[in-house]
Amino acid sequence: MSDRNQSPVGDSIRLLFVLNCDLARRERAIAADIIDRDSTATVIERVIATNPVDRIERMDEFGAAWFKVEFDESDGIH
């Protein structure tokens, strides 16, 4: 078991699912006729579909892990 006081920066993570709150936010936007192809739910779905494993790059002031993702845009989708 890891030390809770140790920074997880550099640790590998695997995204498994989109949080319900992010799915609900996207549904509310769709219901309001707002198209946001960069919504959190959409981006996380793309990460899971392409490569769900990444490394934690930094932790923010709230303790949330951040990581970088680059998508291959050759398909014209962004």
Side-chain angles (χ1 to χ4, degrees):
M1 178 176 259
S2 64
D3 180 358
R4 292 184 72 134
N5 296 321
Q6 187 177 13
S7 172
V9 172
D11 286 358
S12 292
I13 59 169
R14 178 181 300 272
L15 298 178
L16 301 175
F17 59 90
V18 181
L19 295 174
N20 287 334
C21 60
D22 293 323
L23 292 169
R25 185 178 307 122
R26 182 175 60 190
E27 290 302 316
R28 287 191 303 271
I30 290 169
D33 232 8
I34 300 170
I35 306 301
D36 182 8
R37 295 183 354 178
D38 295 328
S39 72
T40 300
T42 302
V43 170
I44 292 174
E45 287 170 343
R46 287 188 68 194
V47 170
I48 291 169
T50 57
N51 185 15
V53 178
D54 214 323
R55 294 206 181 274
I56 297 174
E57 184 169 292
R58 69 179 180 90
M59 301 297 292
D60 68 15
E61 64 272 17
F62 303 106
W66 286 76
F67 57 96
K68 282 188 179 178
V69 176
E70 292 184 29
F71 294 114
D72 176 16
E73 304 299 337
S74 63
D75 60 2
I77 300 172
H78 65 290

